[in-house]
């Protein structure tokens, strides 16, 4: 049991940590914000007194600690070379590569995504919502700030890899939280890939993803959904909720005419404008893979449910 005072302190620390990182212009302050945020979320992840939750907490702590160490290494090396701690002045090639990898690890993008599905599976749906939305804001903002200095090839290859991993990983899942984790990796892929060409578009992409994924988690929590099996049985008790989840899943997959189609269309348009047609084709192919498991959720809801009686 966590007392109300502790909950207030933890909530404030999580909010303050993210705001501190997003508003700082100095690497040390950004690092302190991320650390404050990470230490505050640990008691929330470990709140259910199960071995699974404890395991998830340890996994989250270790990966975030390694990412923080890489971040310090990168910023210190850059300060050593240039004499500058300014975030926008990350000019050293080695530093930018290490920093990009560290931020990818923080947000859970491939190839350093392994912790995300495991951690989400071990926690409650509210915590899973927090990790897939709020916890992404600070690292995405830092990546946005240094996007001009990161090699585009690194961002694009990590983006495509995240799309493939997110798509293939989600296909085989029956647990909804793990499926949402792979969905998050897939969407981060789009964000990172387009960050190299149009950082503003990347921010729009992640914002729309957060807006779409929040209601999905909240509805899953309200109906106590854990697996795909639950989806087929909740139709009778809460029709509107289940239908909304189906539509939001289709939207997240980027199917027109839903909202999720817009950032993907703009991203593809940007790629083609920059003469990166091969990359655009790759992105479309990988989004087809992820469409498969989103469509499966919608199919389970629409087809395997009893017809409505009027």
């Amino acid at each position: 049991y966590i007392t109300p005072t502790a909950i207030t302190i933890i909530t404030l620390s999580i909010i303050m940590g993210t705001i501190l990182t997003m508003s700082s212009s100095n690497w040390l302050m950004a690092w302190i914000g991320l650390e404050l945020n990470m230490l505050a979320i640990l008691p929330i992840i470990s709140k259910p007194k199960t071995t699974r939750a404890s395991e998830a907490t340890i996994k989250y702590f270790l990966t975030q600690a390694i990412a923080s160490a890489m971040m310090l290494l990168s910023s210190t090396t850059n300060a050593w070379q240039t004499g500058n701690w300014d975030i926008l002045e990350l000019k050293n090639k080695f530093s930018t590569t290490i920093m990009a990898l560290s931020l990818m690890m923080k947000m859970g993008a491939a190839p350093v995504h392994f912790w995300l599905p495991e951690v989400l599976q071990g926690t409650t749906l509210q915590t899973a919502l927090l990790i897939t939305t709020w916890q992404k804001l600070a690292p995405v903002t830092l990546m946005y700030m240094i996007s001009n200095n990161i090699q585009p090839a690194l961002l694009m290859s990590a983006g495509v890899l995240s799309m493939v991993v997110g798509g293939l990983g989600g296909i085989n899942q029956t647990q909804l939280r793990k499926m949402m984790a792979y969905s998050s990796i897939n969407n981060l892929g789009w964000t990172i890939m387009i960050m190299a060409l149009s950082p503003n578009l990347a921010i729009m992409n992640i914002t729309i993803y957060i807006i779409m994924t929040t209601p999905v988690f909240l509805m899953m929590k309200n109906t106590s959904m854990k697996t795909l099996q639950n989806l087929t049985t909740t139709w009778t008790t809460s029709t509107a909720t289940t239908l909304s989840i189906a539509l939001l899943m289709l939207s997240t997959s980027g199917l027109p005419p839903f909202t999720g189609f817009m950032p993907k269309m703009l991203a593809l348009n940007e790629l083609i404008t920059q003469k990166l047609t091969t990359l655009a084709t790759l992105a479309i192919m990988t989004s087809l893979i992820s469409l498969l498991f989103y469509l499966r959720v919608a199919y389970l809801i629409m087809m395997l449910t009893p017809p409505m009686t009027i």
Side-chain angles (χ1 to χ4, degrees):
Y1 174 70
I2 305 177
T3 60
T5 318
I7 287 173
T8 311
I9 293 168
I10 287 167
T11 310
L12 281 174
S13 299
I14 288 173
I15 294 167
M16 280 294 296
T18 301
I19 290 172
L20 185 64
T21 302
M22 289 169 79
S23 58
S24 61
S25 61
N26 181 298
W27 278 120
L28 280 177
M29 288 309 289
W31 176 78
I32 289 167
L34 284 168
E35 288 300 293
L36 176 66
N37 176 284
M38 184 255 286
L39 291 171
I41 203 174
L42 294 177
I44 293 182
I45 301 173
S46 62
K47 192 168 181 270
K49 292 286 168 276
T50 59
T51 48
R52 214 130 194 218
S54 307
E55 194 184 316
T57 313
I58 298 287
K59 281 176 181 169
Y60 186 82
F61 172 72
L62 287 175
T63 47
Q64 297 296 317
I66 292 165
S68 292
M70 285 167 66
M71 196 174 160
L72 266 186
L73 168 71
S74 166
S75 50
T76 312
T77 309
N78 187 66
W80 181 38
Q81 295 281 322
T82 62
N84 204 326
W85 284 97
D86 200 311
I87 289 178
L88 299 172
E89 295 297 317
L90 195 74
K91 295 280 189 278
N92 187 316
K93 212 169 186 181
F94 170 78
S95 293
T96 50
T97 309
I98 297 289
M99 185 61 75
L101 283 170
S102 132
L103 293 174
M104 283 173 203
M105 200 170 190
K106 284 256 176 220
M107 61 177 97
V112 274
H113 65 280
F114 302 100
W115 62 273
L116 189 63
E118 299 296 321
V119 170
L120 289 205
Q121 191 53 38
T123 56
T124 60
L125 281 163
Q126 295 109 298
T127 316
L129 168 65
L130 192 64
I131 293 169
T132 48
T133 56
W134 183 261
Q135 295 299 94
K136 301 239 187 296
L137 295 179
V140 166
T141 308
L142 285 176
M143 192 174 264
Y144 175 82
M145 288 166 87
I146 62 164
S147 59
N148 289 335
N149 299 327
I150 309 174
Q151 292 133 298
L154 175 69
L155 287 177
M156 285 175 191
S157 44
V160 171
L161 188 62
S162 295
M163 286 184 214
V164 174
V165 167
L168 293 176
I171 287 174
N172 210 18
Q173 298 302 330
T174 52
Q175 295 287 335
L176 288 175
R177 275 167 298 182
K178 269 196 175 173
M179 204 174 77
M180 292 305 285
Y182 283 109
S183 158
S184 171
I185 295 166
N186 179 52
N187 272 281
L188 271 176
W190 281 90
T191 305
I192 292 170
M193 180 186 70
I194 208 63
M195 186 78 80
L197 302 173
S198 172
N200 291 344
L201 193 50
I203 295 295
M204 189 189 83
N205 190 30
I206 196 81
T207 307
I208 288 177
Y209 166 71
I210 289 172
I211 290 167
M212 288 187 306
T213 206
T214 305
V216 173
F217 272 112
L218 293 176
M219 286 187 282
M220 281 177 183
K221 179 190 166 288
N222 281 344
T223 51
S224 304
M225 277 186 206
K226 295 275 194 308
T227 60
L228 282 175
Q229 183 94 46
N230 299 146
L231 270 176
T232 57
T233 52
T234 44
W235 179 271
T236 44
T237 50
S238 41
T239 315
T241 303
T242 327
L243 192 61
S244 302
I245 288 177
L247 293 174
L248 280 162
M249 285 288 187
L250 291 176
S251 183
T252 315
S253 72
L255 202 70
F258 299 104
T259 317
F261 172 63
M262 183 180 62
K264 289 192 175 178
M265 186 189 69
L266 291 171
L268 290 171
N269 180 47
E270 185 67 35
L271 287 172
I272 293 162
T273 310
Q274 302 279 357
K275 304 276 189 295
L276 294 163
T277 325
T278 318
L279 194 61
T281 314
L282 249 173
I284 293 168
M285 300 306 269
T286 51
S287 72
L288 280 176
I289 304 170
S290 58
L291 181 64
L292 187 63
F293 73 84
Y294 290 118
L295 273 176
R296 187 176 61 170
V297 174
Y299 172 81
L300 279 173
I301 292 171
M302 306 290 193
M303 299 301 166
L304 301 184
T305 45
M308 289 173 69
T309 48
I310 299 162

